[in-house]
Structures are given as C-alpha cells and as structure tokens.
C-alpha cells in the first residue's frame, strides 16, 4: 500500500546535506541490536549499582533505604582504607615497570634482526595465556622450599625470598607477575607508534653527527610520547582492576596484606553477600579509576600542547 | 643506518633477556606437567623430564569431569563470540558511518569499568530469573567482554575502508542494508577475523564471571582448574598438566594468528574483563 502511495507522490529533491543527515539516522538502526545488549548487560548494571549503593541489602534479606550510610561506613572501614592503599601501591609499581620495559622492548623489536617475528610472538604469549593457568604455575614457582625461583636465587649466591608468603614481599612479587604478563601490551602500542615515525629527522640528525642515544632522547621519545601515554593510561586502568592473578596467587593474603579494592569488593559481595555496601564500593572504585584516567589524560593533553 | 658489531650484539642480548622470562615460564609449566611427583618435588629441581610421562594428563581426565568443563568453555566462548559478532559488526559499521561518537565513548567507559561491578547486579538478576545452574548466565556475562571488543575493532576497521564502493552501490539503488551486506562486509573480513580471535581468547581466559556464577556442572575451564584441581589434588604434576591444557588452545591460536592478534591489539589496546 505505502509503496503505491510513494509512486504517486512527487519526488522531493533532497539537498545533499539533508540526504547525508537522513543516511546518518538510518545507519543508527545498525547500532540498535548492540545497543539493546549493551543496555542490558552494561548500562543496567551501572544504574542498578547506583540504586543498590543507597540500600541496605544482604542476599536473602529485606531491602531498606539507608541514604549515604554505605558511603560514610567506608570512611571508618579500616580494611577498605588499607585496600585503597594496597591498590595504589600495586598500581604505581605495576605501571612503572611494564612501561619502562615495554618501551625498551618496543625499541628492540623495532630493529631488524633474524627471527624477529618469532621472538615478538613469544614475547606476547604471557598476555594472551589464560591468567589463571599461568598464575598457578607462578604459585608453584614461589613455593619457599621446593619452588624453582628460590633454587635459582640461591644457586647464584642470593638469599632465598619469601615471595608471596610474607606481607612485605607479597605486593612486589605480584607486581613482578603483572609486569611479566602485561609488558607486551605496552610494547605493542609503542611499537605501533615507532613504526609510524617519519624518517627525515633521523637523516638530518645523522648529518649533524648525533649519536644513537641523542637521537632516541631528542627525536624518538618526544615523537612516540603520545603512544606511551595511551599505553600508560590503559596500563593504569588494568592495574587498578587487576584480579585474576592476585586472587589465585595470594588471595589477598597473607592476612589482608595484598587485598586490593577489587579483592575486597569480591569478599563483600560474594563471601558476605553485603550487596548494598559492595555496590557503594563499586561506585567509589569506579570513580577512582575514572579520576586516575582523567588525570593521566589531562597530563597527556598538556604534554601534547607543550 | 649501518650498525656496529657491538650494538648488534647488544641488541641480541637485550632481546634474549626480554624474551627468556616469557618462554621459560611456559617451558617450566611443560616440564612440571611431564614429570612424576617425585621429580616435581625434588630439590634441587629436576629441569628436564627423564623420562617424560603423560601420566599427569591421563590423571586430569580420569579424575575430573575435564571433558564436561571443556564443552562448557567451548559453548560459552563460541556463543559469546558469535552473539557479539551478530550485534557488534553491524554496530561498528553504523557507528563508523553515522559518526556516532557517543556510542564509541560508551564502549570506552565499559573498557575501564571493573568486571566485578557488572557481576553484582547480574548475579542478583539471574537469581531472580532462576537461571543459575545453566550456562546461560555465564554466556550472557561474557557479552560484557566480547561485545565491546568486537564493536571497537570493527569501528576502527570500517572507518579505514574507502566509502566509494558502497556509495556506488547506493547510487545503483541498493538499500543501505544491501550495501552493508554485499559490499562492506566482504571487505571487512580481515577485521572480522581479528575481532573473532580476540573476543574468543578473552572470553576463553575469563575467570571472574565464571568463579561467581558457575555451579558444579557449569564450570568453565579456568574456574575448574582453580576450583577443582587446587582443592581436590595438591600435587603439582596434574595441576600443571591441567593448566597447560586450559591455556594451550590460546597459545596455539596466538602462534598461528600472531599477525591478526598484533594488529588488533595495537589498534585498540583491547583487553577483556
């Protein structure tokens, strides 16, 4: 029927602008199915969490509105405050080491050498491997008496380490695993940046007799800096969110000495089933991640402007 | 640029130092899985299995429902990846064409949200819907990982495609749906391959959703290797063998498809969970 009507109606010549707008709107239909999925599994949980964060609710119990009580409770919750400190300590180390090593690795993999492709593939295996599986192998390697790492340390004359069995060494040890696992992602992003660099500045510098080190500091580093910052922001977000390896290797222990926010959150939600409080922690956790991201991005914008 | 022998040697040395930790951990995993228990707990450690034994692998299959967990993992990872492709590839196309920056920003916010924050609400929802005890809740939560990966990779890919061919099709009277299906989609095949691999791997590796939602018979492999093996058998050989079996598909996929994986990761910096 409508097709019939359309044939009688005089065709209205649309301007190019109108037609483009019209197309743009029609393309939005392509987004609808994904939009529904995203609304259900991503946006709904966000809103639900906000709602729950002002309720007192344990699984199986009744729900009562408590206002901001869950939020004020955090201020006097020592375990929560320690979890924030552990998270920040872990994150600072788990950003610095992978970033430095990742940049070095990217510079190396940007050179030509035999078997480069194979070496690069092996280098990225740790980030692709199943985290739980590698975490279990690390746990066996950390064993104080039978672990291979203490054997290697003592065989080169160093004292054995307590690894994850002592509150003083547990977070640096977890950072070591995190560095092993996530340095490749920094390397890949920075390598992508290095591959896009122009050749002219290097030719000019070579004519002026600059050394390789001068070239790196004066040309490469400033040009590739935006890529390093992108990698650093992603690394910081992932370090704040780290869960699998910490959960499997130390479980937040000994005691609660390596309990990060994510692990504490897990305990509150799925061991104590304190959904209201856990939701409030999620909100604070999310704000913390957002703040760190925005802080790093504003530094990146400043660096780009300078 | 000509390089001196010293700097060549320096480069080789650096590469060896960088690559060794990556390969050695996996070799140690392999070594543990191929040794008997006496050798695994010997001190000083036995490095080369002599003679190598497959007893640990046989043990993993005989004493656990390892086949069931593998089937669970395959269903969840394939299901979540296929569902993500069905909704995510058109979405990536739509966002690239309509220049809907807001949708892309939403995906980025999803990227920085901790996985656990999705779990609390979805866990309650599945309880109320009485869906616990089936694979469906796990598959649905995996969409949190796979959909953003697919959408993100596909936006980048479709933005990189020249639009002239589709415009020609539109001028010839094709609908935008036909232009998408017959022109853009075939051109986007490499992008779809990248999105599929990454989404599959990060779904396969996911632990956090399964550890909360899985019951006895709905465990995925990473949950099973943590839950069952660590508690029911503390011996290192079978544990290493199981860990190796869980991660082997991903490692093999990485070795075979390294070009696609590197391209996808470099572009998006994607990571699930």
């Amino acid at each position: 029927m409508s097709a019939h009507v359309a044939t009688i109606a005089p065709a209205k010549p649309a301007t190019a602008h109108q037609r483009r707008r019209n197309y743009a709107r029609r393309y939005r239909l392509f987004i609808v199915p994904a939009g529904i999925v995203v609304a259900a599994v991503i946006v709904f949980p966000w809103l639900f969490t906000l709602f729950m964060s002002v309720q007192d609710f344990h699984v199986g119990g009744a729900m009562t509105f408590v206002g901001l009580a869950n939020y004020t409770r955090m201020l006097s919750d020592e375990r929560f405050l320690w979890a924030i400190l552990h998270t920040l300590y872990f994150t600072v180390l788990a950003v610095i080491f992978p970033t430095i090593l990742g940049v070095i690795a990217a510079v190396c993999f940007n050179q030509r050498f035999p078997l480069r492709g194979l070496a690069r593939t092996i280098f990225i295996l740790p980030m692709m491997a199943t985290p739980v599986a590698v975490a279990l192998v690390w746990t066996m390697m950390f064993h104080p008496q039978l672990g291979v790492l203490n054997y290697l340390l003592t065989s080169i004359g160093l004292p054995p380490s307590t690894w994850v069995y002592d509150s003083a060494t547990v977070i640096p040890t977890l950072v070591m695993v995190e560095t092993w696992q996530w340095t490749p992602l920094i390397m890949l992003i920075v390598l992508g940046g290095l591959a896009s660099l122009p050749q002219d500045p290097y030719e000019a510098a070579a004519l002026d007799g600059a050394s390789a080190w001068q070239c790196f500091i004066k040309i490469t580093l400033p040009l590739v800096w935006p890529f390093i910052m992108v990698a650093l922001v992603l690394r910081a977000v992932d370090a704040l969110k780290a869960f699998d390896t910490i959960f499997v290797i130390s479980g937040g222990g000994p005691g609660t000495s390596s309990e990060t926010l994510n692990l504490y959150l897990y305990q509150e939600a799925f061991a104590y089933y304190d959904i209201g409080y856990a939701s409030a922690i999620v909100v604070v956790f999310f704000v913390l991640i957002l703040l760190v991201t925005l802080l790093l991005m504003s530094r990146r914008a400043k660096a780009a402007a300078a | 640029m000509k390089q001196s022998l010293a700097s060549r040697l320096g480069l080789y040395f650096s590469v060896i130092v960088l690559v060794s930790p990556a390969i050695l951990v996996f070799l140690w995993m392999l070594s543990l899985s191929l040794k008997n228990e006496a050798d695994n707990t010997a001190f000083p450690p036995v490095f080369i299995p002599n003679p190598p034994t497959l007893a640990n692998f046989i043990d993993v299959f005989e004493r656990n429902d390892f086949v069931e967990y593998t089937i669970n993992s395959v269903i969840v990872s394939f299901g979540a990846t296929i569902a993500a492709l069905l909704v995510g590839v058109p979405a990536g196309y739509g966002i690239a064409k309509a220049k809907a920056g807001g949708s892309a920003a939403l995906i980025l916010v999803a990227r920085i949200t901790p996985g656990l924050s999705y779990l609390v609400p979805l866990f309650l929802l599945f309880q109320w819907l009485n869906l616990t005890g089936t694979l469906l809740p796990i598959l649905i939560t995996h969409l949190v990982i796979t959909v953003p990966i697919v959408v993100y990779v596909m936006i980048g890919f479709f933005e990189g495609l020249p639009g002239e061919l589709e415009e020609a099709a539109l001028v010839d009277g094709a609908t935008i749906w036909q232009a998408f299906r017959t022109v853009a989609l075939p051109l986007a095949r490499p992008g779809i391959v990248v999105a599929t691999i990454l989404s599959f791997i990060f779904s396969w590796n996911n632990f956090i959703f399964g550890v909360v939602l899985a019951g006895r018979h709905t465990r995925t492999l990473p949950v099973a290797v943590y839950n069952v093996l660590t508690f029911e058998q503390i011996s290192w050989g079978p544990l290493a063998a199981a860990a190796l079996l869980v991660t082997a598909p991903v490692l093999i996929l990485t070795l075979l498809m390294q070009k696609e994986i590197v391209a996808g990761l470099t572009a998006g910096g994607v990571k699930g969970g």
Side-chain angles (χ1 to χ4, degrees), chain B:
Chain B
M1 248 192 297
K2 203 104 177 101
Q3 282 179 315
S4 66
L5 184 67
S7 74
R8 289 261 93 179
L9 288 176
L11 176 66
Y12 295 153
F13 179 74
S14 315
V15 169
I16 289 169
V17 168
L18 286 166
V19 171
S20 310
I23 191 76
L24 287 177
V25 171
F26 293 108
L27 288 179
W28 186 237
M29 191 179 199
L30 186 66
S31 166
L32 285 170
S33 72
L34 293 174
K35 286 182 298 196
N36 59 43
E37 209 47 31
D39 280 352
N40 269 337
T41 50
F43 199 89
V46 177
F47 287 94
I48 313 282
N50 185 31
T53 165
L54 288 177
N56 295 322
F57 290 94
I58 295 165
D59 194 73
V60 167
F61 281 100
E62 276 185 348
R63 290 177 49 187
N64 302 284
D65 303 320
F66 209 78
V67 176
E68 186 183 8
Y69 305 138
T70 309
I71 294 169
N72 288 346
S73 260
V74 168
I75 292 174
V76 167
S77 299
F78 273 99
T81 302
I82 290 167
L85 287 172
L86 286 178
V87 301
V89 173
Y93 184 70
I95 293 172
K97 285 288 160 188
K99 312 232 181 321
S103 322
L106 187 71
I107 297 292
L108 281 181
V109 179
R111 168 72 174 74
I112 70 167
T113 311
L116 267 180
S117 54
Y118 300 114
L119 262 177
V120 178
L122 292 174
F123 172 75
L124 291 175
L125 183 71
F126 294 136
Q127 273 204 328
W128 286 331
L129 294 176
N130 220 356
L131 281 174
T132 43
T134 68
L135 281 174
L136 196 61
I138 305 175
L139 199 155
I140 291 173
T141 46
H142 276 231
L143 294 177
V144 172
I145 310 161
T146 55
V147 170
I149 290 178
V150 171
V151 173
Y152 203 73
V153 169
M154 293 320 294
I155 293 175
F157 206 85
F158 282 121
E159 277 176 347
L161 285 184
E164 284 90 358
L165 281 169
E166 294 150 66
E167 274 160 32
L170 291 175
V171 168
D172 287 348
T175 64
I176 51 171
W177 175 247
Q178 286 168 327
F180 166 68
R181 267 201 38 204
T182 55
V183 182
L185 211 51
L187 287 174
R189 193 169 298 150
I192 296 173
V193 171
V194 170
T196 308
I197 296 170
L198 288 180
S199 142
F200 178 81
I201 288 179
F202 285 113
S203 168
W204 182 270
N205 284 349
N206 182 275
F207 170 66
I208 200 167
F209 294 151
V211 83
V212 172
L213 295 170
R216 239 192 115 63
H217 295 289
T218 54
R219 292 187 181 112
T220 54
L221 279 175
V223 180
V225 80
Y226 173 77
N227 257 351
V228 182
L229 292 145
T230 41
F231 289 115
E232 288 175 13
Q233 36 187 54
I234 321 113
S235 36
W236 286 7
L239 193 52
L244 191 64
L245 286 171
V246 170
T247 196
V250 172
L251 297 183
I252 293 166
L253 200 58
T254 307
L255 289 169
L256 293 179
M257 312 293 278
Q258 56 105 1
K259 216 175 232 152
E260 287 79 5
I261 287 173
V262 167
L265 291 170
T266 312
V270 274
K271 182 205 165 210

Side-chain angles (χ1 to χ4, degrees), chain A residues 97-147:
Chain A
F97 288 107
T99 305
I100 293 173
L101 285 172
V103 172
I104 294 173
V107 170
C108 288
F109 283 109
N110 197 37
Q111 320 278 319
R112 294 192 173 281
F113 57 86
L115 296 178
R116 179 174 69 162
L118 180 67
R120 192 187 59 185
T121 308
I122 292 172
F123 189 71
I124 65 167
L125 284 183
M127 70 171 283
M128 305 312 293
T130 310
V132 174
V134 290
L136 287 171
V137 176
W138 280 104
T139 311
M140 293 185 249
M141 299 202 301
F142 289 141
H143 194 282
Q145 282 87 45
L146 305 173

Side-chain angles (χ1 to χ4, degrees), chain A residues 24-110:
Chain A
R25 196 170 310 135
R26 282 162 67 196
Y27 278 118
R28 280 173 196 269
L29 275 180
F30 284 86
I31 314 173
V32 170
I36 293 169
V37 172
V38 167
V41 299
I42 295 180
V43 177
F44 156 73
W46 286 341
L47 300 176
F48 189 87
T49 302
L50 269 179
F51 167 75
M52 272 298 176
S53 75
V54 291
Q55 310 285 335
D56 178 34
F57 176 67
H58 288 66
V59 172
M63 199 188 303
T64 41
F65 176 78
V66 290
L68 295 177
N70 285 327
Y71 291 93
T72 49
R73 179 177 155 194
M74 274 178 236
L75 297 173
S76 53
D77 180 355
E78 257 185 55
R79 195 168 157 190
F80 168 80
L81 297 173
W82 275 111
I84 290 209
L85 280 182
H86 295 149
T87 308
L88 293 177
Y89 177 36
F90 176 84
T91 301
V92 168
L93 294 181
V95 168
I96 292 175
F97 288 107
T99 305
I100 293 173
L101 285 172
V103 172
I104 294 173
V107 170
C108 288
F109 283 109
N110 197 37

